[in-house]
Amino acid sequence: MRSVGAGAFVGGESLVGRLNGHFRVLSDLCDRLEEIADRLPDNVNRQDALHVARSVCPTVRRAHDFEETLLFPLLKSCFAKDTAIGEALNNLHFEHWEDEMFAEELAEGLVSFVSGLEPRNPEALGYMLRGFFGGMRRHITFERAHIVPLVQQIEGSGHA
């Protein structure tokens, strides 16, 4: 087993494997959010919605922390001369920040909706849910198409 300094393996799993694992977890979260949106306004499982509300921020942060602390620095190092990759990584960094802020608002909105602490506005919550999971799915699609091949290239070359 090689470390990130001498290969692309961390804890026995490739970086692509770990990245795909985060994609699966985020995709599952998107599916759960879509299910809630589809059940608005009166068929929402309150316990499930509260569970999702509690998990949305940590789930998004875990994926972003992996990318920001391990993956992106590696990509910036390996592709330092490629300005397009550097710009894409900077754009993804800002998307991460926006996604995390949106996740916090979404979690608060879900809790408020199911707890009845604020007047119910299912249209606004549905719009918020669909905006979040739609954006997250586009982000995942972009990373699968553009970041995964770069990581595979690093793993194949042994430069990681």
Side-chain angles (χ1 to χ4, degrees):
M1 178 174 63
R2 297 178 293 181
S3 68
V4 173
F9 293 89
V10 178
E13 185 176 11
S14 74
L15 291 175
V16 170
R18 287 187 62 191
L19 187 56
N20 283 326
H22 285 292
F23 292 157
R24 280 188 299 277
V25 171
L26 290 170
S27 293
D28 289 346
L29 174 64
C30 289
D31 292 346
R32 293 181 76 195
L33 293 169
E34 185 172 21
E35 182 179 333
I36 292 168
D38 289 346
R39 293 180 176 272
L40 287 171
D42 298 321
N43 294 320
V44 174
N45 179 315
R46 295 168 61 98
Q47 289 295 18
D48 185 53
L50 287 173
H51 179 71
V52 171
R54 286 188 207 110
S55 69
V56 68
C57 291
T59 299
V60 170
R61 282 193 192 110
R62 266 191 305 276
H64 291 172
D65 285 347
F66 165 71
E67 292 181 3
E68 298 283 344
T69 62
L70 186 63
L71 195 61
F72 290 2
L74 176 65
L75 291 169
K76 285 180 182 180
S77 171
C78 291
F79 297 98
K81 295 181 182 181
D82 191 325
T83 57
I85 291 174
E87 288 176 23
L89 294 173
N90 285 335
N91 288 338
L92 289 171
H93 170 75
F94 286 110
E95 282 186 25
H96 287 173
W97 182 80
E98 290 172 343
D99 289 345
E100 288 178 21
M101 299 300 288
F102 198 176
E104 289 175 12
E105 291 177 22
L106 180 64
E108 290 172 10
L110 274 171
V111 169
S112 294
F113 182 82
V114 298
S115 67
L117 295 176
E118 296 178 13
R120 290 171 43 121
N121 187 341
E123 293 82 17
L125 180 60
Y127 185 79
M128 183 183 284
L129 286 162
R130 292 184 192 288
F132 180 81
F133 69 71
M136 185 62 59
R137 285 176 174 158
R138 282 188 298 276
H139 186 96
I140 292 167
T141 298
F142 177 86
E143 289 191 357
R144 279 188 173 138
H146 299 284
I147 299 301
V148 169
L150 294 174
V151 177
Q152 289 171 326
Q153 184 179 339
I154 292 169
E155 288 181 335
S157 70
H159 282 99

